Amino acid sequence: MITLGIETSCDETSASIIDSGKNILSAKIFSQADIHKKFGGVVPEVASRNHALKIRPIVEEVINDAKISVNDIDLIGVTNSPGLIGALFVGVSFAKGLSYTLKKPLIPVNHLTAHILSGEIENDDLTPPYAALVISGGHTHLFHVSKSYAFTLISKTIDDAIGETFDKVSKTLGFGYPGGPEIEKNASFGDETKINYPIAMKNELNFSFSGLKTSVINSYNSEKYTKEDISASFQKIAVDTIIHKIRLASETQKISKLVVAGGVACNGYLRKRLQSELKNIRVFFPSKGLCTDNGVMVAYTAYQFFNKRIFMGFNSKAFDRDENIKLF
């Protein structure tokens, strides 16, 4: 089955063609990072307008690169929640039009579900049940994934997502956007033991990063520390928090396999520490190209859920939040 995946939830316009689930025939991403960099973050209206300009060329490009005809597509998957509502509307509207024209089924894909299942694409031995941590600009969510692909939320951030915190700390230090790569680069020149930031809500499963963000801002304003030391100390405690919460969850969830996905999962420091310090837990990371928002994970998720007969009607809507929306 040839599946087209379309992703426009934030500031990447992406599409992919896959065959038989994991055979990637083509994949393209148009990143708006350089466009939003001058604003210090994503501007929703600007993101939506650029999706509208790029969605058709990107889809046409992946079809041509896959060396297929548009009529060869058997199934279409599109991200419909959560994300920037205007950006989501662009992808959903385009996918609906294509589905109607081709008379092909359309699968609505939850963005978090796609990130979670991205860990399976390159790891044939990764099958449910497992735990999944989605860490990105908008999310810090830990799930249990059952054999039937039922998703149970274990914990989440009660305020800022970890990726958003990286971005805001980076902006405070004058490094710019996106913040993750900038913090990681500058942290490599700093002393991570210089500032002893605490783990918030240490005895609870949920995450909190707003206090850490404020502490970093206070450290910077004190003018006692270098930007590199602040970066290193901040990065260390952010990862310490992730490790601590997973260990805490494993006391009741009996976690033996863990997928870590989302844009923050590109961080090399985080990857190294999670794989070395989470004893008795096998940690799976998608390749970095599959950690950021991409059409491959959307296509794969649509393919996986086709048999569940969960289709998107032409009157269906996009949703900007994930509260009260089931991840299938």
Side-chain angles (χ1 to χ4, degrees):
M1 175 176 284
I2 294 178
T3 305
L4 166 67
I6 296 173
E7 158 64 30
T8 63
S9 65
C10 190
D11 61 336
E12 275 98 14
T13 311
S14 182
S16 177
I17 300 286
I18 65 172
D19 186 18
S20 302
K22 294 185 178 182
N23 183 22
I24 303 171
L25 302 182
S26 61
K28 296 291 179 182
I29 298 176
F30 170 71
S31 174
Q32 300 179 27
D34 289 341
I35 296 172
H36 297 279
K37 185 176 293 186
K38 61 183 176 182
F39 302 112
V42 177
V43 179
E45 175 65 18
V46 174
S48 301
R49 289 180 179 273
N50 278 279
H51 284 309
L53 291 172
K54 292 295 182 179
I55 184 65
R56 178 171 177 170
I58 288 289
V59 170
E60 289 178 342
E61 192 172 354
V62 294
I63 291 172
N64 291 333
D65 285 357
K67 296 180 171 54
I68 64 170
S69 162
V70 67
N71 293 308
D72 293 327
I73 295 172
D74 299 306
L75 179 67
I76 301 169
V78 62
T79 303
N80 76 320
S81 67
L84 302 177
I85 192 64
L88 289 167
F89 276 154
V90 174
V92 167
S93 298
F94 185 90
K96 284 182 180 179
L98 192 59
S99 171
Y100 180 82
T101 302
L102 298 178
K103 295 181 173 55
K104 302 295 183 180
L106 178 62
I107 307 293
V109 173
N110 185 289
H111 188 69
L112 299 181
T113 304
H115 271 306
I116 291 167
L117 297 194
S118 67
E120 298 181 4
I121 298 172
E122 299 163 318
N123 296 289
D124 291 336
D125 55 342
L126 174 61
T127 57
Y130 55 76
L133 177 69
V134 181
I135 44 177
S136 64
H139 300 93
T140 308
H141 287 54
L142 181 63
F143 293 92
H144 176 266
V145 184
S146 73
K147 289 183 178 180
S148 62
Y149 283 133
F151 299 82
T152 303
L153 181 65
I154 299 172
S155 63
K156 66 176 183 177
T157 179
I158 63 168
D159 41 56
D160 296 344
I162 187 172
E164 178 187 359
T165 307
F166 267 85
D167 286 339
K168 289 180 177 177
V169 167
S170 178
K171 186 175 182 179
T172 297
L173 298 179
F175 296 150
Y177 174 86
E182 293 295 326
I183 292 294
E184 184 178 8
K185 178 178 68 177
N186 283 276
S188 65
F189 300 103
D191 179 0
E192 66 178 27
T193 65
K194 197 73 174 180
I195 311 169
N196 186 26
Y197 295 121
I199 294 176
M201 299 167 54
K202 197 166 186 177
N203 297 320
E204 299 183 32
L205 287 176
N206 282 334
F207 300 85
S208 173
F209 292 101
S210 64
L212 174 59
K213 177 187 65 180
T214 301
S215 295
V216 170
I217 293 172
N218 290 338
S219 297
Y220 176 70
N221 290 337
S222 74
E223 299 183 349
K224 295 179 181 179
Y225 309 102
T226 66
K227 293 181 179 181
E228 291 77 15
D229 287 345
I230 294 174
S231 297
S233 299
F234 160 71
Q235 181 176 249
K236 177 185 181 298
I237 197 61
V239 175
D240 282 350
T241 300
I242 294 294
I243 292 173
H244 175 75
K245 298 291 186 176
I246 292 171
R247 285 173 174 163
L248 197 61
S250 68
E251 293 177 4
T252 56
Q253 297 294 323
K254 301 186 185 304
I255 297 171
S256 60
K257 293 182 290 184
L258 174 71
V259 173
V260 183
V264 179
C266 291
N267 185 291
Y269 175 86
L270 176 142
R271 285 177 174 243
K272 183 178 179 180
R273 286 196 56 197
L274 263 60
Q275 288 178 322
S276 65
E277 296 181 33
L278 288 176
K279 306 299 184 183
N280 303 318
I281 298 177
R282 190 176 177 192
V283 182
F284 296 84
F285 288 96
S287 61
K288 292 184 179 182
L290 294 181
C291 284
T292 56
D293 296 348
N294 63 89
V296 175
M297 67 182 189
V298 177
Y300 176 74
T301 303
Y303 176 83
Q304 291 298 105
F305 284 93
F306 174 67
N307 289 332
K308 290 183 175 287
R309 318 306 290 175
I310 301 173
F311 301 119
M312 188 173 195
F314 296 123
N315 291 325
S316 299
K317 300 178 181 179
F319 301 90
D320 59 345
R321 299 180 184 274
D322 58 334
E323 286 85 1
N324 302 318
I325 299 174
K326 292 182 178 180
L327 277 65
F328 293 112

